Amino acid sequence: MAVIETGAALHEAHRDNHTHRDVNGGWLRPAVFGAMDGLVSNLALMTGVAGGSVGHQTIVITGLAGLAAGAFSMAAGEYTSVASQAELVQAELDVERRELRRHPQAEQDELAALYASRGVEPGLAREVARQLSKDPEQALEIHAREELGVDPDDLPSPLTAAVSSFGSFALGALLPVLPYLLGATALWPAVLLALAGLFGCGAVVARVTARSWWFSGLRQLALGGAAAGITFALGTLFDTAVS
């Protein structure tokens, strides 16, 4: 009785305290990458142009063009990438589905051998494999997880990845342009807002990844600041060389 009560208590504790976040979705990576890329690339583009001693209208047009071009490019790239990966997985699932249909016993033996290699008693491993192989779709799902490392029912969505990339890039790229759209005529408000956005994005990402918020924020701030500084210096250098 004590053993049963202890097991029940452990199960209750696991249910209440041991939960995991979704790490397989197709939105997080493109959203985070898109926002960071939008901020850094558009800030660097605008500071590079500003280093050439152009008017603020040129900088605004450059920033808006960079926003549009980058957002569409990110969306198209993510859609193609995730769709191609999904098509590859589906092709491999078709191979596995044919093998399960043509050689069911061989696939069952393969599954039993896998469980036995992980420490399950051979007789029990064969019985587990036999029972799991009764349902072809369940067998396919198990083989996909064990052999391909994927869940057939939880593949990333190309559309989700594309929309996440487009929206997050556009939002990130908008920050350096926003002060100009609100009437600013100097570069420094755009730089300050973009750097603050980089720090904020890094801090927010840390809440998802369990990284220290200040470390993640400062890392993004340093990377974005370095990119902006380098492109500004290059813009100044090119302007001097052309003049």
Side-chain angles (χ1 to χ4, degrees):
M1 180 65 70
V3 174
I4 295 176
E5 290 177 353
T6 301
L10 288 173
H11 176 73
E12 187 71 20
H14 183 280
R15 186 183 68 185
D16 292 341
N17 302 320
H18 191 79
T19 59
H20 295 285
R21 289 166 289 189
D22 178 18
V23 296
N24 294 320
W27 66 270
L28 179 58
R29 184 186 66 85
V32 171
F33 180 69
M36 296 299 183
D37 191 27
L39 266 168
V40 174
S41 63
N42 220 30
L43 173 63
L45 178 64
M46 292 172 63
T47 54
V49 172
S53 301
V54 299
H56 76 277
Q57 289 184 334
T58 302
I59 299 175
V60 174
I61 294 173
T62 299
L64 292 175
L67 185 158
F72 281 110
S73 176
M74 283 285 294
E78 281 295 332
Y79 186 91
T80 303
S81 174
V82 175
S84 299
Q85 182 67 23
E87 289 164 0
L88 175 60
V89 171
Q90 289 298 338
E92 292 302 311
L93 289 175
D94 288 340
V95 171
E96 193 63 37
R97 189 177 286 109
R98 286 195 300 269
E99 288 300 306
L100 285 168
R101 185 174 62 251
R102 294 173 180 174
H103 310 289
Q105 188 58 50
E107 292 296 310
Q108 182 177 315
D109 292 342
E110 181 181 325
L111 196 59
L114 176 65
Y115 291 143
S117 70
R118 294 182 177 178
V120 180
E121 191 272 328
L124 179 58
R126 287 193 295 272
E127 178 61 20
V128 170
R130 185 188 68 80
Q131 294 191 28
L132 291 177
S133 299
K134 288 181 179 180
D135 181 354
E137 287 304 314
Q138 177 177 259
L140 175 64
E141 181 178 335
I142 293 170
H143 279 276
R145 288 178 175 176
E146 297 294 346
E147 297 179 30
L148 302 177
V150 298
D151 184 349
D153 297 324
D154 193 26
L155 297 178
S157 165
L159 183 59
T160 298
V163 171
S164 297
S165 295
F166 184 93
S168 58
F169 186 99
L171 183 61
L174 178 64
L175 283 184
V177 187
L178 192 58
Y180 285 102
L181 297 179
L182 295 178
T185 57
L187 180 64
W188 64 265
V191 173
L192 289 180
L193 183 59
L195 293 180
L198 282 169
F199 182 86
C201 283
V204 169
V205 170
R207 294 183 60 85
V208 178
T209 61
R211 199 65 154 130
S212 171
W213 66 270
W214 58 267
F215 175 83
S216 184
L218 288 176
R219 179 175 60 185
Q220 297 303 327
L221 177 63
L223 292 173
I230 292 172
T231 53
F232 183 83
L234 288 174
T236 303
L237 179 64
F238 293 155
D239 180 61
T240 302
V242 172
S243 300

